[in-house]
Amino acid sequence: PDREGEAIGWQIKMRLFKDKNVLRVVFHEITPAAIKEAFSHPRDFDLKMIEAQASRRILDRIVGYFLSPLLWKKIVRGLSAGRVQSVALRLLVERERLINNFIPREYWEIEAELSKITENREQRTETFLAKLEKIEDKKVEIKNKSQADNIVLDLNNKPFIVSEIKKAERKRYPSPPFITSTMQQEAFNKLRFNAGKTMMIAQQLYEGIDIGEESPVGLITYMRTDSPNVAPEAIKGVRGLILKEFGKDYLPQEPNVYKLKKHAQAAHEAIRPSLISHSP
């Protein structure tokens, strides 16, 4: 259901069925209901998506024709370089060079353990740590131990005044639905899976698993995506499940909506269970 799929379908149409009325059918999950729904709403091919795919292929060649011969010379013949990993590798190398060229500079911090003055000065209240930020409204830069010691001596006999207390209420929101990168991160954090293993398992879940039904069932939506958007029918299904299993106190009045990252392609929806009726 992306630019590449659009271009492949269009190429087949132009070469094999040029004089026939061929339409495009798109589905985002491999389930009988999703496929039947897709075939009930076919559409014309989107030339903008086809041209976007052609642009991607051109970029691959612009990058690849320069870089691939270098790989053949330095590593092994037959390797190819593309528009994505090549640029990512360049960014990593530049960052590594910055790290290697970094010149460390000594700096010091001063903290004071403070407590409130009570009527009975012997009685101590709960203490808290305060970090020295400014001296006479000027930001502090302490470059060595002797400078730090002099400041501490100067502060020893001076009163500390709390000039302002800020109180704020913070709300915690659920994490966004999985995209490829967050799924890989969570699989590593929780299960110590590397990215390759995570994607291999996700591919199997997407293509179909035997769960005792007539044929294998695709259990998740497409696992290569950068969009947190979820299909309306899936939101409707999960809201019904929350209401049934947990009650209305746990159901927001409106579904949560998550913003796309600035340069997200959003060719696919988020990674989610394709069938909410199947529990883990």
Side-chain angles (χ1 to χ4, degrees):
D2 58 2
R3 296 164 182 79
E4 191 172 15
E6 198 82 12
I8 291 169
W10 185 76
Q11 295 281 356
I12 292 170
K13 173 188 173 179
M14 296 304 291
R15 282 164 170 73
L16 302 181
F17 309 105
K18 192 170 184 178
D19 299 323
K20 296 183 179 179
N21 183 29
V22 178
L23 298 175
R24 171 99 161 114
V25 171
V26 177
F27 46 88
H28 294 78
E29 59 211 59
I30 302 179
T31 61
I35 293 169
K36 287 175 184 175
E37 174 67 17
F39 272 89
S40 67
H41 298 94
R43 62 167 173 80
D44 288 325
F45 284 88
D46 186 336
L47 287 176
K48 288 184 177 179
M49 288 181 73
I50 294 162
E51 288 168 356
Q53 174 61 20
S55 302
R56 291 167 73 179
R57 294 188 70 192
I58 290 166
L59 276 174
D60 266 332
R61 282 155 178 72
I62 289 171
V63 174
Y65 288 167
F66 281 103
L67 279 180
S68 295
L70 181 68
L71 297 182
W72 303 344
K73 185 179 177 182
K74 298 291 184 182
I75 304 173
V76 66
R77 190 162 187 83
L79 291 176
S80 62
R83 70 185 187 282
V84 178
Q85 291 95 331
S86 304
V87 177
L89 179 60
R90 171 67 180 265
L91 292 172
L92 286 169
V93 169
E94 288 180 353
R95 190 68 183 161
E96 185 70 15
R97 285 173 177 164
L98 283 174
I99 292 168
N100 290 336
N101 293 333
F102 175 73
I103 300 171
R105 290 186 298 175
E106 182 179 351
Y107 75 97
W108 288 68
E109 291 182 345
I110 295 174
E111 289 182 341
E113 185 177 2
L114 307 175
S115 63
K116 183 181 177 183
I117 296 176
T118 60
E119 290 181 12
N120 179 0
R121 287 181 173 265
E122 293 180 2
Q123 181 187 341
R124 296 271 290 180
T125 61
E126 187 178 343
T127 63
F128 61 93
L129 277 178
K131 182 180 165 186
L132 180 63
E133 288 284 336
K134 295 179 179 179
I135 296 177
E136 294 178 353
D137 293 329
K138 289 185 180 178
K139 190 167 177 63
V140 178
E141 284 189 19
I142 309 171
K143 297 178 180 178
N144 52 56
K145 184 177 183 302
S146 62
Q147 190 181 353
D149 288 340
N150 289 334
I151 292 171
V152 169
L153 283 171
D154 189 44
L155 291 174
N156 266 338
N157 298 314
K158 291 187 176 178
F160 291 80
I161 299 168
V162 175
S163 59
E164 185 181 5
I165 296 175
K166 290 182 180 178
K167 288 186 178 181
E169 187 178 283
R170 292 186 181 180
K171 291 183 179 179
R172 291 183 63 194
Y173 295 95
S175 300
F178 277 150
I179 59 175
T180 305
S181 58
T182 55
M183 178 184 71
Q184 291 173 344
Q185 290 163 18
E186 194 71 357
F188 177 79
N189 292 336
K190 294 283 198 302
L191 305 168
R192 287 293 180 261
F193 288 176
N194 61 32
K197 182 172 182 178
T198 300
M199 296 309 288
M200 180 187 71
I201 294 170
Q203 181 83 36
Q204 292 168 352
L205 291 171
Y206 170 69
E207 290 178 353
I209 299 288
D210 184 358
I211 57 171
E213 296 189 8
E214 189 176 329
S215 57
V217 177
L219 296 179
I220 64 169
T221 52
Y222 192 56
M223 61 285 154
R224 291 184 177 88
T225 177
D226 58 6
S227 170
N229 292 338
V230 174
E233 64 270 18
I235 292 175
K236 184 179 177 182
V238 79
R239 284 176 67 81
L241 182 74
I242 292 169
L243 188 62
K244 179 183 172 185
E245 295 289 331
F246 304 102
K248 63 180 182 180
D249 290 343
Y250 289 88
L251 187 68
Q253 287 186 337
E254 296 292 332
N256 291 322
V257 177
Y258 296 90
K259 289 182 180 178
L260 284 169
K261 290 185 178 178
K262 187 176 180 182
H263 297 295
Q265 294 181 40
H268 312 275
E269 65 172 312
I271 305 166
R272 60 169 176 83
S274 56
L275 298 160
I276 203 68
S277 57
H278 287 134
S279 67

